[in-house]
Amino acid sequence: MLSFPLKTCDLTTDWMEGLHTLTSTSFGEACAKACLESSSALRQAQKLVAKAKLSTDNEASQAVEALLNYYHILLRLEAPLGADARDRKVLSIQWRSAWDGAAKFKHHELGLEIAAVLFNLAAAFSARGALAQGADDVESVKAAARDFQLAAGALAEVESLSPHAALGEACTDDLSDGCLVALRELMLAQAQACVCTKAEADGMGGALRCKLMVGASKAYGRAAAALEALGLAGGRLEKLGGKRPGADFAAVAAARGSYYEACARWQAAQDAAEAGRGQNHKGDRRTGPSGQKWDSVVLSKLGEEDCSDASYDDAENQCSD
């Protein structure tokens, strides 16, 4: 499974002084002094986020915890200070691109900090999901599906902030609408793939597994199309070699889409063959029920319903213990 890297920031970039100035001008010096007691906790949370790593499952889990804590702190700051931060421009917040450390963007709005933290939260979920998915036990696969789904949710939250529209086109391309959509589609596809794996491990019926695999194929197809359309300036979606932005991830997504389509067709053929054995013991083995050709049976099963969007939640409920 694929995961994506963290955005990085410089620990020497400290906007605590700007926050004190903003608080004192908005609410008075007495309030600003009282807030100083809480600024150390804010700074500590900021440092933990900046030092986050995703090499192991334990590191990814620690990163998730640190990012969630910092995110909730930022939300509490955004409500009383967000508008003043935009107007007074006293904060100095800077983040680098997830794929190109030389590409960085500085702004005075808390929205940039929130968007970057949400992006990194999605990256941490994607890393934890990718690391857990390699395990053999069913519970790990189930946890991986949930993490990929959470990663998609975090990316959707970043999309709702529209960083490029709100902060300007100079904002790094990893926060562009196209990149966020592509990564979200990829995370949803991987969540669907995990559900397929769990359904097989649980020995579920062929009809449900076929439906899940068709959904995974379509999800990977959407992800591949979105990744193929990406144009990240100065970076790729993964350091695998590729000459075009997103080419590596797009190729993997397209290949996995084809794989799940083939698996779905094979499963449909198996189901049709089983049904045919009960009805055509002495008939033409190339035909299915009612004399249909096997390829017609397979295609009809694949086209019974749209398995792309609703199938994940439905199937995940059926795959739960």
Side-chain angles (χ1 to χ4, degrees):
M1 295 288 181
L2 299 172
S3 62
F4 53 96
L6 296 163
K7 293 176 67 65
T8 58
C9 64
D10 192 343
L11 276 174
T12 61
T13 302
D14 187 353
W15 46 273
M16 297 300 109
E17 183 178 346
L19 185 62
H20 176 78
T21 301
L22 186 61
T23 306
S24 62
T25 55
S26 299
F27 299 99
E29 190 62 32
C31 182
K33 287 181 179 179
C35 289
L36 282 175
E37 299 176 5
S38 302
S39 63
S40 60
L42 174 62
R43 181 58 174 162
Q44 181 62 28
Q46 188 183 44
K47 287 181 178 180
L48 289 175
V49 165
K51 293 179 179 179
K53 296 180 180 179
L54 304 177
S55 301
T56 65
D57 180 74
N58 186 50
E59 286 181 349
S61 294
Q62 290 177 352
V64 166
E65 183 178 351
L67 286 157
L68 280 172
N69 180 53
Y70 188 46
Y71 172 63
H72 287 297
I73 292 175
L74 290 173
L75 288 184
R76 292 179 68 88
L77 284 175
E78 170 68 13
L81 298 176
D84 286 340
R86 285 189 291 272
D87 295 337
R88 299 182 186 278
K89 302 180 181 181
V90 295
L91 302 182
S92 180
I93 299 170
Q94 180 174 280
W95 284 85
R96 295 184 179 88
S97 169
W99 290 281
D100 182 8
K104 52 189 178 182
F105 178 67
K106 182 183 289 187
H107 208 273
H108 53 269
E109 288 195 34
L110 280 171
L112 172 59
E113 191 80 358
I114 293 172
V117 169
L118 279 171
F119 182 94
N120 279 3
L121 181 60
F125 279 129
S126 77
R128 194 168 70 175
L131 290 165
Q133 189 275 335
D136 294 331
D137 62 291
V138 173
E139 287 304 312
S140 294
V141 176
K142 183 177 177 180
R146 179 59 58 194
D147 279 332
F148 289 133
Q149 197 177 34
L150 289 169
L155 290 166
E157 284 297 310
V158 185
E159 285 180 63
S160 70
L161 297 174
S162 296
H164 266 222
L167 305 174
E169 292 299 319
C171 187
T172 52
D173 283 318
D174 52 355
L175 295 179
S176 67
D177 290 343
C179 182
L180 295 172
V181 169
L183 292 177
R184 176 170 54 79
E185 292 288 359
L186 178 62
M187 294 300 104
L188 289 174
Q190 294 189 156
Q192 183 88 0
C194 288
V195 175
C196 291
T197 301
K198 189 176 188 300
E200 181 178 6
D202 288 346
M204 292 196 168
L208 174 60
R209 288 166 56 194
C210 182
K211 177 180 178 181
L212 291 173
M213 288 184 286
V214 171
S217 176
K218 291 183 177 181
Y220 271 120
R222 291 194 301 270
L227 290 163
E228 191 71 30
L230 272 183
L232 290 175
R236 293 189 303 275
L237 275 181
E238 190 173 75
K239 298 175 181 177
L240 292 177
K243 296 182 179 179
R244 292 181 295 106
D248 302 314
F249 273 27
V252 171
R256 289 181 180 170
S258 298
Y259 167 78
Y260 279 104
E261 180 184 355
C263 288
R265 289 178 179 276
W266 181 87
Q267 185 62 57
Q270 290 290 103
D271 292 347
E274 289 294 328
R277 290 190 188 99
Q279 299 182 31
N280 299 306
H281 293 294
K282 298 181 180 180
D284 185 351
R285 292 190 177 274
R286 293 174 299 173
T287 62
S290 304
Q292 289 178 276
K293 293 294 184 181
W294 286 127
D295 57 352
S296 299
V297 174
V298 173
L299 290 174
S300 66
K301 287 183 72 65
L302 287 175
E304 281 177 357
E305 56 182 306
D306 184 0
C307 307
S308 55
D309 296 323
S311 59
Y312 176 81
D313 290 331
D314 295 341
E316 201 275 340
N317 289 333
Q318 294 180 62
C319 292
S320 61
D321 294 335

